[in-house]
Amino acid sequence: MRLNTLFLKKLFVLSLIFAFIAGVNASAFANSEHNETVLKDSAHVTEAHAEGEGHAAGHGEEPFEPTKVIMEHISDSHDWHLWGHTSIGLPVILYTEAGLVTFNSSEFHHDQEGTHVVEKDGQKFVRFENKIYYAAETANEKGQYLTLADEHPTNAKPLDFSITKNVASMFLSAIILCLVFFSVAAAYKKREGKAPRGLQSFIEPIIVFVRDEVARPNIGHKYVRYMPFLLTVFFFILINNLIGLIPIFPGGANLTGNIAVTFVLGTITFLVTNFSGNKYYWKHVLAPDVPWWLYPIMLVVEVIGLLSKPFALIIRLFANITAGHIIVLSLISLIFIFKTLYIAPVSVAFVLFMDVLELLVAFLQAFIFTMLTALFIGTAVEEHHH
Amino acid sequence: MIGSIAAIGAGLAVIGAGLGIGRIGGSAMEGIARQPEAASKIQTAMIIAAALVEGVALFGVVVALLGTR
Amino acid sequence: MDLVTPSIGLVFWTTVTFFFLFILLRVFAWKPIVSALNERERSIEDALNAADKAKEELTRLNQESDKLLKDARLERDKILKEAKTLGDNLIAEAKHNAQTEGAKMIAKAHDEINAQKNAALAEVKNQVASLSIDIAEKILRKKFENAGEQQTLVAELLKDVKLN
């Protein structure tokens, strides 16, 4: 403990010194075009516009838009951006009027403005702000093959089933989960009845926690049936939260902060809850203990109550994780907003703090989602003894 | 314009949630101080209550997000 | 607005992934892990119960052996006590016997001594009588010869008697 604090202090002092030196160096080039370009390049701010070094200098004066950058990072995309101008192309799968069309997203050449047309199977597509549209016949004055109304394209869209960054990240997390838990299960088989070891001893308390603190007290003696579901939900959310916190390549996707993912999870919870509801539950919903003339109102209230529970789950997870990503990115953006490296130590310290907090939130949100799911299931399967 | 108004609304929602979570946390602390042996139960109940309050606040945030563009 | 609009592609892939993940983990991970955990908990509980039982048994055995030991000790004390009384009795009896025997022997010795004394006295009396007779005879014989010599003779005889 003491060693750790000492180490952290040293690290902090070192980073301060480093930042100071870097700041002095940077101020030597102060006001030079080049410096700003470097700064912006390193933040990939101008990636969509800058084609090369020489070109970037021309665009050097383009203002920094934190909102745009942050939105870019927290929303889904068809490429997996690595660094600078390097990104991995991911498969684009489109369900068009003429069937499935697949191609690699790198064919868009990082275009997000709808200026680059990709022609496949006799159909033309353009990409505008991470969405794929059918291309218009002719380009408008900005070179976009789109018809824009109030800055929003009005072109028709094919159904997009692409393996996006989020989907790829989800596959990765699914593979990690499978590897981890298959190995743990194998360990349980191999070392039957013995004390846990290694990964097993890390996972076991969490499983026991889910069983003893989440499932059993909330669901009651019928908890065994719901254990697999609760465990899967818990670990799925947890690992995706954690992977989302990693800033470099295999991580960084804002998966559990994406409304589509939380929507699916919430919907599954809703379905599981209502399919396991017993007669007391349905009596409570459909025929509550109120005078008969209140039924029309009560029915509406109860149905809203049914829907609002998973809705709250969906929104909570989405908003918490997205908010965390936004805060971290905003703090990093401070460096580029103030256009100085002096702010970097402050920014980095705050980001460090926020990341630690997000680590807690990652566990807490996984726990709360599982907990509330168990609570809802518990109310659905509860036996009443009047 | 709509975005700004939505942001003010979100801010108001956050005030409410802050008060609510603060009260929950304070009461939980009191409860734990009075009955340290019931700490784990109080914590669980506190987290659930806080989550419910937070859920309401997040609706405000979502409305704010709906307001942006 | 974009942020809170779920995209169909991600909804589809999430559903598919979650479904397969759920099936895979349920069959290959949760089932063995949860059953192994329950199994181990049960075995630990059994072991604890068995330990409790063994402890109880041990205390019972201990109590039993304590009781046995106590009994044995009592028994031993009793035997020792008995032996002691027996020995004391024997000694007392022996003492008594010896005393009576001694007394008897002493009495006998007394009797013997008395008898001897009496016999001796009787002998002495006899001797004295015979001596007296002898003396008297001799005196009587001498008297008739010489009065002087008679006197000497008596003196001599008396001297003899003294010597005897």
Side-chain angles (χ1 to χ4, degrees), chain A residues 138-157:
Chain A
T138 51
N140 62 10
E141 64 274 14
K142 283 184 190 162
Q144 294 166 315
Y145 290 85
L146 293 163
T147 43
L148 293 177
D150 194 20
E151 291 197 10
H152 284 282
T154 52
N155 295 35
K157 280 193 284 185

Side-chain angles (χ1 to χ4, degrees), chain A residues 63-322:
Chain A
F64 174 70
E65 290 179 69
T67 320
K68 197 167 172 240
V69 174
I70 290 168
M71 284 302 162
E72 233 171 69
H73 275 80
I74 61 171
S75 56
D76 206 355
S77 86
H78 289 94
D79 315 296
W80 199 329
H81 181 241
L82 299 185
W83 60 79
H85 298 296
T86 319
S87 53
I88 296 176
L90 295 166
V92 174
I93 304 165
L94 300 174
Y95 186 77
T96 64
E97 292 129 7
L100 283 175
V101 178
T102 54
F103 56 93
N104 195 297
S105 71
S106 57
E107 288 186 37
F108 281 117
H109 295 286
H110 304 296
D111 171 51
Q112 294 281 12
E113 299 290 316
T115 53
H116 190 94
V117 177
V118 175
E119 197 171 344
K120 275 276 150 104
D121 300 343
Q123 298 184 84
K124 290 174 177 175
F125 305 102
V126 286
R127 185 168 64 175
F128 183 82
E129 293 182 348
N130 283 323
K131 284 202 175 59
I132 294 173
Y133 298 89
Y134 290 115
E137 288 303 315
T138 51
N140 62 10
E141 64 274 14
K142 283 184 190 162
Q144 294 166 315
Y145 290 85
L146 293 163
T147 43
L148 293 177
D150 194 20
E151 291 197 10
H152 284 282
T154 52
N155 295 35
K157 280 193 284 185
L159 286 178
D160 191 353
F161 289 105
S162 306
I163 307 294
T164 56
K165 181 173 139 188
N166 278 345
V167 177
S169 170
M170 184 161 59
F171 287 167
L172 180 76
S173 67
I175 290 167
I176 292 174
L177 279 182
C178 283
L179 288 179
V180 166
F181 286 105
F182 289 176
S183 77
V184 168
Y188 272 105
K189 268 186 196 144
K190 208 169 77 185
R191 300 168 41 77
E192 205 180 331
K194 287 187 189 151
R197 214 160 126 192
L199 195 60
Q200 209 186 344
S201 51
F202 174 70
I203 296 297
E204 186 178 311
I206 307 180
I207 293 177
V208 171
F209 174 78
V210 171
R211 189 190 61 185
D212 292 349
E213 303 292 324
V214 177
R216 206 179 278 169
N218 289 317
I219 302 179
H221 65 279
K222 286 179 192 156
Y223 79 96
V224 181
R225 261 187 76 195
Y226 301 98
M227 274 301 280
F229 172 63
L230 292 175
L231 284 169
T232 312
V233 166
F234 181 83
F235 282 105
F236 183 76
I237 294 173
L238 179 64
I239 191 129
N240 283 313
N241 284 349
L242 292 176
I243 284 180
L245 288 179
I246 303 170
I248 50 169
F249 164 57
N254 183 26
L255 185 66
T256 37
N258 192 301
I259 194 82
V261 176
T262 60
F263 172 75
V264 170
L265 293 174
T267 310
I268 293 171
T269 294
F270 177 73
L271 293 177
V272 168
T273 306
N274 287 297
F275 277 117
S276 53
N278 57 18
K279 59 183 176 195
Y280 302 106
Y281 174 76
W282 286 114
K283 187 191 170 293
H284 182 72
V285 172
L286 299 174
D289 292 329
V290 290
W292 62 269
W293 47 269
L294 271 176
Y295 275 14
I297 304 167
M298 283 312 288
L299 206 64
V300 172
V301 169
E302 290 290 348
V303 169
I304 289 174
L306 280 191
L307 291 173
S308 77
K309 284 183 203 163
F311 186 66
L313 279 185
I314 294 169
I315 299 300
R316 178 176 304 111
L317 185 57
F318 155 74
N320 266 290
I321 305 303
T322 304

